[in-house]
Amino acid sequence: MNLQSAASGFLAFLLLVPALQGKTDWKVTNTSSHICASKGSTVDINCTYEYPFNKSKSQSSSINLESLWFTKIDRNNPVEIGNETDYKGRVEYSCGENKCIASKYSGACTLRIKDLKPSDSAEYKFWITTAQTDWGDAGSPGVNLTVTDLQVKVVVLDRDKPTWLDLECHSICDITTTSYKWFRNGDNAGTAFTKGTERYYSGQVKDDRVIINSEDSYACAVKGFESFPSPSVYAPKTPSVTVSPSGEIEEGSSVTLSCSSDANPAAKYTWFKEQDDSVKGSGKHYTLSDMTSELGGNYYCQAHNAIGHHNSTWSSVNVAEASSSIQYSTQRAFTVRNYVVSSAAILLLVCLWVGLRASRRASGLGEAAATFDEEESLPVPVYGNISARTNSSAPSAEREPIELQDL
């Protein structure tokens, strides 16, 4: 089985480079030095070998050949890739019978790797040893395998006419002999090709120019491996805008507008203001500093790439004028002042009322004291009258003059 048929057209180039290792009578020849293949494909890595016939040992053609393929060495010993977890179920060995020619044994071995992954990119080496000899050998340098993801490359043919494009199914390997298949919006895109090859695609050809529909997405794959297509390319989706800080912006402060859109290739951004055709800014973020009422208004961003563009909806930037802020502050200060004055007046009235009440209470207590003093001075005359009344009421026989006696 030759390399080109086994790799199903995925091999980029083959260079027959013999590799001589160990003693001069040992030889490992790699059929190719570099293989490039697409993700998901199958590749065969082939080599041939020769080693000397040891006359002191058995001359039987059955010599217990031991061979393996490896990419890593552990403690000076090659690690067979068939025992590595990442290769489980994806590798196969195939070696033919040994032949003895002119006192040398020779043979061929093939390593097949299926369902290739980008992580399979490495240098693969072949190790050979026998039970009848004391020498072993590894084909070094080995075979460099590169596993590539396909990509759609957008080529602008005329900068003045951005819709005139080429779509190229591109990889890091120069896979020029491979057949491709194109997809539009996930479906078979037919056979609209440019430059006479399936590697280039056009949605529409007009005046020998390529016109791509900005509403569609495009992808490519290698024929026979359509389940491993390239990422799609498409124009930016309708972008979204965020304003920070949100709400009304005070004069003299700053505000930042941010734009984002899903696009491949990645989108670039341009900023515009309502009723103003001039570009206000570029980039994902647009900052307005030292805000004034003139800077307020409606803004939008345009997301664009080589395939097309989309505009966002309007985003309003509202600015609070300084006069409004002063008026609000004045009204607030006036309200606070009125509150303080009212509270002080109420407190004063309460104090006056309490003082008046205390004064009246003190006056009442003084009148009561005066009345009490007058009542205390009355008993002497009263008692004198009582004595007089008593003497006048006594019988006449008993009346005697009242004489003062020494107490």
Side-chain angles (χ1 to χ4, degrees):
M1 179 183 299
N2 59 52
L3 178 62
Q4 186 173 1
S5 62
S8 302
F10 287 92
L11 307 183
F13 51 87
L14 303 179
L15 297 177
L16 299 180
V17 181
L20 305 179
Q21 285 79 31
K23 299 177 71 66
T24 56
D25 49 0
W26 285 78
K27 182 170 67 174
V28 175
T29 303
N30 298 313
T31 308
S32 63
S33 63
H34 192 185
I35 301 175
C36 190
S38 296
K39 183 178 72 172
S41 64
T42 298
V43 67
D44 284 355
I45 301 175
N46 300 314
C47 76
T48 60
Y49 57 86
E50 292 181 358
Y51 62 92
F53 172 69
N54 191 339
K55 294 182 180 180
S56 63
K57 302 291 183 179
S58 170
Q59 297 185 13
S60 170
S61 62
S62 177
I63 57 173
N64 297 323
L65 177 69
E66 296 180 4
S67 62
L68 59 87
W69 293 87
F70 69 98
T71 62
K72 302 175 183 177
I73 293 179
D74 182 24
R75 299 177 183 178
N76 297 323
N77 294 316
V79 179
E80 184 176 2
I81 65 171
N83 295 330
E84 294 187 45
T85 303
D86 197 41
Y87 289 93
K88 285 290 186 181
R90 297 194 299 119
V91 296
E92 296 176 359
Y93 288 175
S94 177
C95 291
E97 293 184 1
N98 293 315
K99 297 179 181 179
C100 182
I101 301 176
S103 71
K104 289 185 178 181
Y105 284 108
S106 64
C109 279
T110 299
L111 167 66
R112 172 170 290 182
I113 308 175
K114 300 180 291 184
D115 192 18
L116 285 172
K117 303 177 181 179
S119 59
D120 294 337
S121 298
E123 182 184 16
Y124 291 80
K125 298 178 180 180
F126 179 71
W127 173 265
I128 181 175
T129 187
T130 67
Q132 284 75 24
T133 64
D134 298 326
W135 294 96
D137 193 46
S140 181
V143 178
N144 288 290
L145 172 64
T146 301
V147 181
T148 178
D149 282 331
L150 294 177
Q151 294 181 344
V152 175
K153 185 177 180 180
V154 181
V155 181
V156 179
L157 301 178
D158 191 331
R159 293 186 180 277
D160 296 330
K161 298 178 180 179
T163 58
W164 292 358
L165 306 171
D166 263 347
L167 298 183
E168 177 187 0
C169 199
H170 177 77
S171 74
I172 59 175
C173 303
D174 186 19
I175 310 178
T176 57
T177 60
T178 302
S179 296
Y180 299 91
K181 187 172 183 179
W182 285 90
F183 301 90
R184 183 176 64 248
N185 300 327
D187 298 325
N188 190 346
T191 57
F193 309 120
T194 62
K195 299 183 179 180
T197 173
E198 297 176 350
R199 188 174 180 177
Y200 295 88
Y201 175 83
S202 68
Q204 179 182 357
V205 178
K206 183 178 180 179
D207 299 329
D208 295 328
R209 298 292 187 178
V210 180
I211 300 175
I212 299 297
N213 188 345
S214 62
E215 300 300 321
D216 294 331
S217 63
Y218 301 87
C220 67
V222 174
K223 283 187 177 180
F225 296 90
E226 288 82 356
S227 58
F228 298 95
S230 69
S232 296
V233 295
Y234 47 90
K237 307 299 182 182
T238 302
S240 61
V241 175
T242 58
V243 181
S244 179
S246 59
E248 199 170 49
I249 309 301
E250 294 184 1
E251 282 195 338
S253 60
S254 299
V255 62
T256 298
L257 292 81
S258 300
C259 188
S260 62
S261 174
D262 177 22
N264 187 28
K268 297 180 179 180
Y269 302 96
T270 306
W271 293 90
F272 299 90
K273 186 179 180 182
E274 187 178 18
Q275 299 179 349
D276 189 345
D277 294 334
S278 62
V279 175
K280 296 302 179 182
S282 61
K284 187 177 181 67
H285 306 287
Y286 175 49
T287 299
L288 295 165
S289 301
D290 195 16
M291 288 296 298
T292 62
S293 57
E294 290 76 14
L295 291 176
N298 294 325
Y299 290 81
Y300 74 93
C301 76
Q302 182 184 92
H304 51 91
N305 62 12
I307 299 177
H309 67 272
H310 267 106
N311 296 339
S312 70
T313 57
W314 295 108
S315 295
S316 298
V317 177
N318 301 317
V319 182
E321 296 184 1
S323 58
S324 299
S325 301
I326 294 173
Q327 182 179 2
Y328 172 76
S329 300
T330 302
Q331 291 176 349
R332 183 176 181 183
F334 181 76
T335 302
V336 172
R337 185 183 65 184
N338 287 347
Y339 173 78
V340 172
V341 171
S342 300
S343 300
I346 293 172
L347 180 61
L348 179 60
L349 290 175
V350 171
C351 291
L352 291 175
W353 180 78
V354 172
L356 181 60
R357 185 174 180 183
S359 177
R360 288 180 178 178
R361 183 176 180 184
S363 177
L365 290 175
E367 293 176 357
T371 303
F372 181 77
D373 290 341
E374 291 176 358
E375 290 178 352
E376 288 291 325
S377 60
L378 289 178
V380 174
V382 169
Y383 287 142
N385 292 337
I386 291 176
S387 301
R389 288 175 183 175
T390 303
N391 289 329
S392 61
S393 61
S396 57
E398 296 178 16
R399 289 179 183 175
E400 291 182 359
I402 299 176
E403 296 180 358
L404 298 177
Q405 298 178 0
D406 294 332
L407 298 177

